Amino acid sequence: MIRLEGIPISPGYGSGIAIIYDYDIERRLELPSRSILHLEVESECNRIDSALAQSNQDLNSVEQSALHEPRLVDSAALLSAHSAMAEEISAIVRQHIGRELVNAEEALDVVIREFVVRFGRLDSTYFREREQDVRDVGRRMMGHLSGSTSWINGPLPPGSVIVARELLPSETVELAKSGVVAIVAEHGGTFSHTAIVARSLGIPAVAGIADVTSHVQPGMRLLVDGESGSVWLAPSEAEEATFVDREREFGIRIAATATEEQLPCVTRDGIEISLLGNIGLPAEVEGVSQHNLAGAGLFRTEFLFLESHQRPSLEMQSEIYSDMARGLDELPLVIRTFDLGGDKLPPFILSEGSDIHANLHLRGLRFSLDEVRLLETQLTAILHVCLLYTSDAADDSSVV
């Protein structure tokens, strides 16, 4: 028996047979690299356009599948953002081809690596882990350039535990209905989209285990503890029994928590209090009623902006806030204006050609006042929803 220790990124317990996905994220995959003539630029750009179209078709297919799975609604939005990111990367690659006179594969590789380095230098852990999304898009486009296909070609054997150097977000979404009971990876953090997707699916996951694909053999039995970050390889009967006990206790705690959430929210001395939810995405509104909360006490709207490649319009924001208010019925919704700036700059600002370095020292309200048009649009959208619901519900519903 061998016990490996990693970082728990999605809670729960899973046991099964190891399926190795040994894709080395640092290897070059023997990418063709060559100089081209001016007359070849158009054909290489056409290859990138074709890879982009095929990638977007893939992403759209997975996105549509995710939209039909309630647990994957937020993941569908992620895949939509990947499509927009692919468009932006493709445009930069075309420029690189024409400027440097290199083939499409080399240009894409250079552009992706530049993005990864740029994200890696940011202070925010959230934004550093967005490099995973860039590599996800790049890997998919490179696969179409080289003619390779997705490694996921249908359902996996029941009780599969995926073991990988890294699982990228769209791959994790594609695993949703393929029989995976747990994920073990070398790379990935708590704030990565892969972790977010795994948690939304209820798949236990552990990351941060160095050289994990070297330690685990295909077909090996694994026990994965997504609470402590422990992974047992070829466990003994005693370890299996202990693991089953822990898994049972975890299920009991989850069930007890769900039951307790439906009880009145009062202190031990009988004082009733209001417990409200803290949400960052519109779909999380559903959790307010599910967990018997008194409303949404804070909606952090910057998450609507952080991955947007277009300035959020008045119509789009009004529709989102209105849908959220309706979803809460008569419960309160407190909307916080966006908290951006510093290393939290959304793609639409990064792509507008403004002086990014001049904005790095602006955060929070100072950034909002510097982006007056963006702030005014958001305040107007919030006001529209306030007026709509205070007039319709005669103040029974509150939107702040």
Side-chain angles (χ1 to χ4, degrees), residues 8 47 114 149 288 305 338 355 361 376:
R47 292 183 63 218
E114 288 177 350
T149 58
V288 171
F305 297 78
F338 57 82
D355 188 354
H361 70 286
E376 287 180 345

Side-chain angles (χ1 to χ4, degrees), residues 21-299:
Y21 176 43
D22 194 9
Y23 183 103
D24 187 340
I25 62 173
E26 296 300 331
R27 68 183 179 179
R28 305 289 295 192
L29 295 177
E30 301 298 328
L31 295 176
S33 176
R34 64 183 180 87
S35 298
I36 63 173
L37 302 174
H38 282 285
L39 57 83
E40 296 179 275
V41 168
E42 183 176 358
S43 63
E44 290 300 304
C45 287
N46 287 340
R47 292 183 63 218
I48 281 293
D49 290 342
S50 177
L52 171 64
Q54 291 173 296
S55 296
N56 282 342
Q57 185 176 356
D58 291 346
L59 291 168
N60 182 65
S61 177
V62 181
E63 180 184 355
Q64 292 305 311
S65 176
L67 286 172
H68 291 88
E69 170 59 65
R71 299 175 302 166
L72 290 174
V73 172
D74 292 342
S75 302
L78 160 65
L79 295 171
S80 179
H82 277 202
S83 292
M85 184 184 294
E87 297 275 357
E88 179 182 351
I89 289 173
S90 176
I92 297 173
V93 170
R94 288 172 60 92
Q95 294 173 5
H96 190 89
I97 291 172
R99 184 177 63 250
E100 302 297 330
L101 294 179
V102 294
N103 63 314
E105 288 88 348
E106 180 175 341
L108 177 59
D109 187 55
V110 169
V111 169
I112 293 301
R113 288 175 179 273
E114 288 177 350
F115 267 96
V116 168
V117 170
R118 190 182 311 166
F119 277 109
R121 290 173 178 169
L122 298 176
D123 294 333
S124 167
T125 301
Y126 175 88
F127 272 90
R128 283 200 305 273
E129 293 190 355
R130 295 291 70 76
E131 73 171 67
Q132 191 182 59
D133 300 296
V134 174
R135 286 187 284 107
D136 194 341
V137 170
R139 182 187 297 182
R140 188 175 291 273
M141 292 180 66
M142 192 70 78
H144 285 296
L145 281 176
S146 63
S148 63
T149 58
S150 171
W151 70 285
I152 303 172
N153 295 315
L156 296 171
S160 295
V161 177
I162 294 298
V163 180
R165 284 289 306 277
E166 177 183 45
L167 274 182
L168 295 177
S170 66
E171 294 169 336
T172 309
V173 174
E174 289 178 289
L175 287 170
K177 299 178 181 179
S178 61
V180 172
V181 297
I183 295 171
V184 180
E186 178 172 345
H187 297 277
T190 305
F191 298 102
S192 68
H193 272 137
T194 297
I196 294 170
V197 172
R199 288 195 293 268
S200 70
L201 293 171
I203 299 176
V206 175
I209 300 178
D211 301 320
V212 66
T213 55
S214 298
H215 294 296
V216 180
Q217 300 300 317
M220 180 180 285
R221 176 146 179 90
L222 304 181
L223 305 179
V224 180
D225 182 344
E227 286 201 293
S228 69
S230 298
V231 178
W232 287 266
L233 283 57
S236 64
E237 290 185 7
E239 287 160 343
E240 289 267 11
T242 300
F243 185 84
V244 169
D245 289 341
R246 290 177 179 173
E247 185 176 17
R248 185 183 302 112
E249 291 172 1
F250 178 76
I252 293 172
R253 291 201 307 272
I254 295 298
T257 299
T259 300
E260 292 170 355
E261 286 175 346
Q262 304 308 313
L263 297 174
C265 191
V266 295
T267 61
R268 290 184 176 179
D269 55 355
I271 299 176
E272 186 173 348
I273 61 174
S274 293
L275 186 63
L276 293 87
N278 185 347
I279 61 180
L281 295 169
E284 293 176 358
V285 162
E286 297 177 4
V288 171
S289 60
Q290 292 173 358
H291 297 288
N292 197 31
L293 299 174
L298 177 63
F299 173 38

